[in-house]
Amino acid sequence: MHNLLIVDDMDDMRKFLTDTLGSLFQVKIHEAVSGVEAFDLLRLVEIDFVVSDLYMTNGDGVWLLNQMRRQDMRIPVILFSSTPEELLAEIPLTYPLKAAVNKFRFANLVENLEIFGLSRKESRLGAFFDKKCSPG
């Protein structure tokens, strides 16, 4: 089972991601409310993937990426932000950043996590999600 770290300073968004991704994927989820807390956790727990907000107090997503680069942490990161898509598209995808996804495009987040190797659970939520988000 993979370890997924969710980093967001908004309690409601962090809970939504934790509950929904925990229902969709075979993962153990860890949570942090800031880049600083996330970086501390990354040094203590073997994390396989990170989903992080971009703008947070006490260490934002860019700060977290820079700290991970300095420590040569090769853990894939997806920035999940309410920043407009055209601005997210301008962020260079350099290690460890693998994708920058708008929060209104949750299906893109799920797709990226699958691409990076997370295994989906068989669940009613997964079946519902596939039906609602598939083309056609």
Side-chain angles (χ1 to χ4, degrees):
M1 182 174 293
H2 291 288
N3 287 306
L4 172 64
L5 174 58
I6 296 173
V7 188
D8 201 309
D9 58 345
M10 301 297 292
D11 294 337
D12 291 344
M13 179 55 71
R14 200 174 56 257
K15 179 170 178 21
F16 167 76
L17 290 172
T18 298
D19 292 348
T20 307
L21 295 177
S23 295
L24 287 172
F25 292 104
Q26 297 176 20
V27 291
K28 179 174 181 187
I29 296 183
H30 305 267
E31 299 178 44
V33 298
S34 69
V36 170
E37 185 178 337
F39 188 62
D40 289 343
L41 191 60
L42 286 169
R43 292 184 289 181
L44 298 173
V45 178
E46 191 171 319
I47 299 293
D48 300 298
F49 302 95
V50 176
V51 174
S52 177
D53 190 12
L54 181 56
Y55 298 109
M56 299 174 286
T57 57
N58 200 19
D60 63 14
V62 173
W63 181 89
L64 177 59
L65 286 168
N66 288 333
Q67 296 305 311
M68 292 175 70
R69 285 183 187 116
R70 285 188 188 109
Q71 295 296 313
D72 198 31
M73 294 179 172
R74 300 199 173 267
I75 303 164
V77 176
I78 298 173
L79 288 179
F80 192 59
S81 175
S82 57
T83 300
E85 289 178 311
E86 56 274 6
L87 295 178
L88 288 174
E90 294 177 10
I91 298 173
L93 297 180
T94 56
Y95 126 86
L97 181 62
K98 297 295 183 182
V101 178
N102 183 277
K103 287 185 178 179
F104 297 105
R105 303 282 187 208
F106 184 74
N108 292 355
L109 174 62
V110 171
E111 180 181 331
N112 275 286
L113 289 170
E114 289 177 326
I115 289 168
F116 301 135
L118 287 185
S119 300
R120 290 277 292 270
K121 288 181 181 176
E122 293 295 326
S123 69
R124 282 191 263 163
L125 177 61
F128 173 78
F129 184 82
D130 289 340
K131 185 175 180 179
K132 290 291 184 186
C133 295
S134 64

